[in-house]
Amino acid sequence: MNFELPSDLQSYLSRLDAFIKDKILPLQHKDDNNRFFDHRREASRTQWDNQGLPTEEWEDILRQARKLADEAGFYRFAFPKEFGGTGSDSQNLYMSAIRYHLASHSVYGGGVSLANDLQNEHSVVGNNPIVIMLYHYGTPEQQRTFIPASIRGEFRATFGLTEIHHGSDATHMDTTAKPITMPSGEPGYSISGNKKWQTGMHSATHCLIFARTSGKAGSPKGITAFVVPRDTQGLTVHSYQWTLNMPTDHATVLLEDVRVPASAILGPVDNGLAIAQTFTHENRIRQASSSCGAARYCIDRSVEYAKKRTVFGKPLASNQAIQWPLVELSTQAEMLRLLILRTAVEMDQVTAACKANGQAPWVAIEKQLGHKIGMCNYYANRLATEAADRAIQVHGGVGYSRHHPFEHIWRHFRRYRITEGSEEVQIRKVAAYLFGYKTTGEEGEKSSTEEELKRSESKL
């Protein structure tokens, strides 16, 4: 058993570091661009008098960085091969290692830098779920039209699953889509309802809207996904939610008789939730990697500071009250890092087996590894906030200030204990495996009945 990263992956990380040093950091340090990353970051990024939206200057520098990364061959690493990606058979391992590296590296500020600023999922190695969804479920026309446009930044879609009254209980959505005949005579749908937390709505060209087209509330069947142009009549932005970490781009969207042709459907009619699940596990293991990396950054900076800081005539690091919490966090971070990498390797193995059999990998990944991915994700997101909090405490008053990134890291990563599948939902999933209410299929085809699962969920 080899716990070292593959040599080609280590080489990739070295090339990535060199690119960031030669191209990205000079852009960050150019003129007064550091205002977006130092103690002025939140104020410089936010239009306080315009709904709290991102400033144009902030988003422009992010675009410049992505363009440089794309020209250098880094940005599309995880994209499908025919659209400039690598098509690597070890993509989950690679992306997990890359995101951990970028979030833990001291130069990259725990995810607060132009190379990797996770507040808005910006990275020189792109992570684009919409491209993956279009690749697996789009019609040939949708793929030809939207995927190249997305890579160029000309197609930007929100993800319309969460609603005002429904979050984790997505199968109970209020939004409905009813068949109609369009003025042109072609079949279409009228969509009415609402969506909340529509990230990127301020600059979106389209919205990916999930709506119930048949069936009863609570059933996963009967939900269809639609690609709806932003300027379609009846689609309006009701508000933007101001958040713990600003700026915001999270909108509440109202839909009233929004009419689209049937060609706007993405994927199978009445089985649209499968689209939402396409990228869930890949995204969660990557987020776990980023959170674990941010935790490592906070730990390492705290150790470094404690060794340099002198109090009462001796190094701060000589106090057990400083040592022990950091030892606990460091131990947890290292164990978690190894679990993430092992799970990523297993995801790649399951994916390869499914591709060989012509099957969709995400179904098998959910069945065999869903509980491990849940472990990685919920624990990493919690660990990141705990490590940031400890870093603030170790650094004292200066840690509480915005002259260090710890308060920003805490405020940002706190969201993932809710948004990337709440930790309660993920813990419940792990418990379902642990207590036998759900199986991996490795011990035969025995599985729990729907009634047994419901009983287990009520207990959990």
Side-chain angles (χ1 to χ4, degrees):
M1 184 176 292
N2 185 359
F3 291 96
E4 295 296 324
L5 295 179
S7 58
D8 58 338
L9 175 52
Q10 295 182 45
S11 176
Y12 182 90
L13 294 176
S14 296
R15 296 197 306 275
L16 182 62
D17 283 342
F19 160 71
I20 292 171
K21 180 181 179 181
D22 293 342
K23 297 294 184 180
I24 300 300
L25 292 182
L27 177 58
Q28 177 175 328
H29 300 319
K30 182 181 179 181
D31 300 327
D32 194 27
N33 288 339
N34 270 319
R35 71 188 187 277
F36 298 116
F37 307 99
D38 61 20
H39 62 280
R40 302 167 290 172
R41 53 187 168 263
E42 192 172 24
S44 300
R45 298 176 181 192
T46 308
Q47 298 183 60
W48 299 108
D49 57 353
N50 183 25
Q51 305 178 85
L53 295 175
T55 61
E56 292 182 5
E57 295 83 0
W58 166 231
E59 296 199 309
D60 180 61
I61 191 174
L62 298 180
R63 282 192 291 268
Q64 293 181 55
R66 288 193 293 268
K67 185 174 184 294
L68 289 173
D70 197 23
E71 291 172 348
F74 290 104
Y75 184 70
R76 303 190 203 183
F77 176 86
F79 285 27
K81 190 170 184 178
E82 49 265 61
F83 293 100
T86 61
S88 170
D89 292 332
S90 302
Q91 192 166 106
N92 287 298
L93 171 62
Y94 270 63
M95 284 298 288
S96 293
I98 290 168
R99 288 173 76 82
Y100 176 87
H101 179 79
L102 291 175
S104 62
H105 201 297
S106 61
V107 177
Y108 311 144
V112 189
S113 81
L114 186 54
N116 189 61
D117 196 286
L118 296 174
Q119 184 184 34
N120 56 359
E121 287 301 312
H122 163 78
S123 178
V124 292
V125 181
N127 187 48
N128 194 325
I130 293 294
V131 167
I132 304 300
M133 294 173 191
L134 288 165
Y135 180 73
H136 287 292
Y137 286 101
T139 63
E141 177 61 25
Q142 289 171 334
Q143 293 176 350
R144 285 193 300 268
T145 303
F146 295 141
I147 292 180
S150 179
I151 294 171
R152 295 192 302 269
E154 298 168 2
F155 173 85
R156 301 176 298 278
T158 64
F159 187 79
L161 191 59
T162 302
E163 299 186 346
I164 295 174
H165 302 294
H166 301 287
S168 297
D169 58 340
T171 57
H172 290 264
M173 64 178 58
D174 295 328
T175 304
T176 60
K178 299 179 179 179
I180 61 169
T181 300
M182 300 292 288
S184 62
E186 65 180 315
Y189 287 83
S190 170
I191 307 173
S192 294
N194 66 84
K195 296 296 173 182
K196 194 170 184 177
W197 302 111
Q198 298 307 285
T199 303
M201 190 65 198
H202 71 295
S203 62
T205 61
H206 293 73
C207 301
L208 180 58
I209 300 294
F210 292 83
R212 182 162 292 284
T213 44
S214 68
K216 297 180 179 180
S219 172
K221 298 291 185 181
I223 295 173
T224 304
F226 298 86
V227 181
V228 182
R230 166 67 177 84
D231 57 1
T232 305
Q233 185 175 355
L235 191 156
T236 59
V237 174
H238 177 263
S239 62
Y240 285 95
Q241 276 59 58
W242 288 50
T243 60
L244 184 65
N245 211 13
M246 294 293 282
T248 182
D249 59 355
H250 312 297
T252 294
V253 176
L254 305 181
L255 303 106
E256 183 176 355
D257 190 22
V258 175
R259 301 191 169 205
V260 295
S263 59
I265 293 173
L266 177 64
V269 175
D270 290 339
N271 199 24
L273 279 186
I275 298 173
Q277 295 170 342
T278 303
F279 198 69
T280 298
H281 302 103
E282 287 87 346
N283 211 42
R284 285 183 179 173
I285 200 71
R286 295 175 188 182
Q287 180 53 53
S289 302
S290 293
S291 294
C292 187
R296 172 50 62 190
Y297 172 86
C298 293
I299 295 164
D300 289 347
R301 299 289 73 74
S302 296
V303 170
E304 179 182 310
Y305 178 81
K307 290 165 66 176
K308 293 179 179 179
R309 176 74 167 176
T310 300
V311 294
F312 301 109
K314 61 181 182 180
L316 182 63
S318 65
N319 295 294
Q320 290 180 341
I322 298 296
Q323 296 172 1
W324 289 18
L326 291 173
V327 168
E328 292 278 359
L329 290 168
S330 186
T331 302
Q332 293 163 5
E334 182 59 13
M335 290 190 296
L336 177 62
R337 183 184 71 88
L338 293 173
L339 177 61
I340 289 170
L341 294 177
R342 174 182 171 176
T343 302
V345 168
E346 292 176 338
M347 291 172 67
D348 288 329
Q349 291 171 344
V350 171
T351 299
C354 288
K355 286 183 177 179
N357 296 323
Q359 299 173 338
W362 45 89
V363 176
I365 288 176
E366 163 61 24
K367 187 173 183 179
Q368 298 179 38
L369 300 170
H371 60 306
K372 290 187 180 180
I373 296 168
M375 288 178 185
C376 293
N377 191 268
Y378 96 79
Y379 200 81
N381 297 334
R382 184 186 295 179
L383 186 65
T385 57
E386 291 176 350
D389 185 79
R390 177 53 52 182
I392 292 171
Q393 193 69 21
V394 170
H395 283 74
V398 71
Y400 182 70
S401 77
R402 298 192 177 207
H403 294 274
H404 284 281
F406 308 123
E407 56 82 31
H408 179 99
I409 292 171
W410 187 91
R411 286 186 291 116
H412 170 67
F413 283 92
R414 183 60 182 83
R415 67 180 276 198
Y416 291 117
R417 294 176 64 183
I418 302 170
T419 61
E420 198 52 51
S422 71
E423 64 180 39
E424 291 83 2
V425 169
Q426 296 194 65
I427 291 172
R428 188 176 69 175
K429 176 184 288 189
V430 176
Y433 282 99
L434 185 63
F435 291 96
Y437 298 113
K438 189 173 182 180
T439 69
T440 62
E442 295 175 352
E443 300 175 356
E445 293 302 316
K446 178 183 176 182
S447 62
S448 302
T449 64
E450 183 176 350
E451 290 74 18
E452 287 173 330
L453 280 172
K454 288 181 178 178
R455 285 198 298 271
S456 71
E457 289 172 354
S458 66
K459 294 176 184 177
L460 298 173

